[in-house]
């Protein structure tokens, strides 16, 4: 229904405006801004491909199951950079502990202190969500270990989620 309404508005713009005005109106209505591109679901293997080691690939990091494009921070996350160990995986525990220990390069938050969990939430909100675009979610965030849907995952509660049925 919304698509039909947009099409009708674009046709109306074409018939009541000059060619340049119509094209601009159409571009405004049908060209979503980059922040509204569809998100995708990443398995661990898929996420690992975006670890900053390939020059022509973006660099992704997941924190709390949210996958961020950190390519603009290549000097921090790219090949040979100080935080490259975090790239290409869900590094939630590392972010919470401010650690690059290989044992901490995981999504697992079991055993973290209250202070570490607070630090995780602050870094998630004030660094990753504030600075980097969200490109998807880890499969672990949406699915249970057996592959069944996670009943606690609500698309409308996810950061940067504008369309409930993107999945």
């Amino acid at each position: 229904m919304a698509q039909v309404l947009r099409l009708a508005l674009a046709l109306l713009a074409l018939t009541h405006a000059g060619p340049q005005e119509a094209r601009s109106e159409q571009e405004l209505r049908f060209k979503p801004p980059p922040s509204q591109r569809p998100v995708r679901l990443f398995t661990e293997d898929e996420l690992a491909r975006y670890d900053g080691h390939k020059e022509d690939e973006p660099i992704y990091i997941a924190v709390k199951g949210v996958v961020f494009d950190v390519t603009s921070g290549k000097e921090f996350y790219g090949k040979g950079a100080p935080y490259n160990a975090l790239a290409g995986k869900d590094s939630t525990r590392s972010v919470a502990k401010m650690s690059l220990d290989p044992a901490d390069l995981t999504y697992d938050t079991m055993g973290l202190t209250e202070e570490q969990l607070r630090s995780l939430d602050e870094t998630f909100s004030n660094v990753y969500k504030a600075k980097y675009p969200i490109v998807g979610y880890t499969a672990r965030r949406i699915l249970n270990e057996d592959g069944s849907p996670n009943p606690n995952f609500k698309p409308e509660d996810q950061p940067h989620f504008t369309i409930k049925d993107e999945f």
Side-chain angles (χ1 to χ4, degrees):
M1 182 70 175
Q3 232 174 4
V4 173
L5 181 59
R6 282 190 214 127
L7 183 57
L9 289 171
L11 289 173
L12 184 63
L14 284 171
T15 59
H16 290 14
Q20 182 61 37
E21 293 170 356
R23 198 181 93 227
S24 296
E25 177 73 14
Q26 188 175 17
E27 285 175 355
L28 287 174
R29 296 208 182 275
F30 293 110
K31 190 174 182 183
S35 64
Q36 289 185 354
R37 67 182 171 197
V39 295
R40 58 182 272 219
L41 187 63
F42 289 87
T43 64
E44 287 181 32
D45 289 341
E46 289 170 328
L47 185 57
R49 286 188 268 184
Y50 302 98
D51 64 358
H53 286 88
K54 292 182 185 165
E55 198 62 38
D56 58 338
E57 293 281 336
I59 304 167
Y60 294 164
I61 180 176
V63 179
K64 294 176 67 171
V66 179
V67 181
F68 296 94
D69 182 340
V70 296
T71 308
S72 65
K74 191 174 191 170
E75 66 275 11
F76 302 109
Y77 300 102
K79 183 178 180 180
Y83 302 115
N84 177 253
L86 304 175
K89 58 186 70 73
D90 189 328
S91 300
T92 302
R93 186 178 196 83
S94 290
V95 170
K97 292 180 74 175
M98 302 291 177
S99 165
L100 294 174
D101 184 326
D104 291 326
L105 296 171
T106 179
Y107 63 89
D108 187 12
T109 58
M110 294 296 289
L112 292 177
T113 66
E114 288 297 317
E115 184 178 331
Q116 290 168 333
L117 291 171
R118 264 193 308 281
S119 174
L120 171 63
D121 287 340
E122 287 173 14
T123 305
F124 178 78
S125 295
N126 300 330
V127 175
Y128 291 102
K129 276 179 57 182
K131 191 171 183 179
Y132 300 109
I134 293 173
V135 294
Y137 296 90
T138 61
R140 183 174 311 284
R141 184 176 174 101
I142 295 169
L143 303 174
N144 293 318
E145 292 290 328
D146 64 1
S148 64
N150 175 355
N152 297 320
F153 179 83
K154 295 183 178 87
E156 62 272 18
D157 293 339
Q158 303 308 308
H160 293 277
F161 228 82
T162 56
I163 303 171
K164 275 177 112 173
D165 57 352
E166 284 193 65
F167 287 101

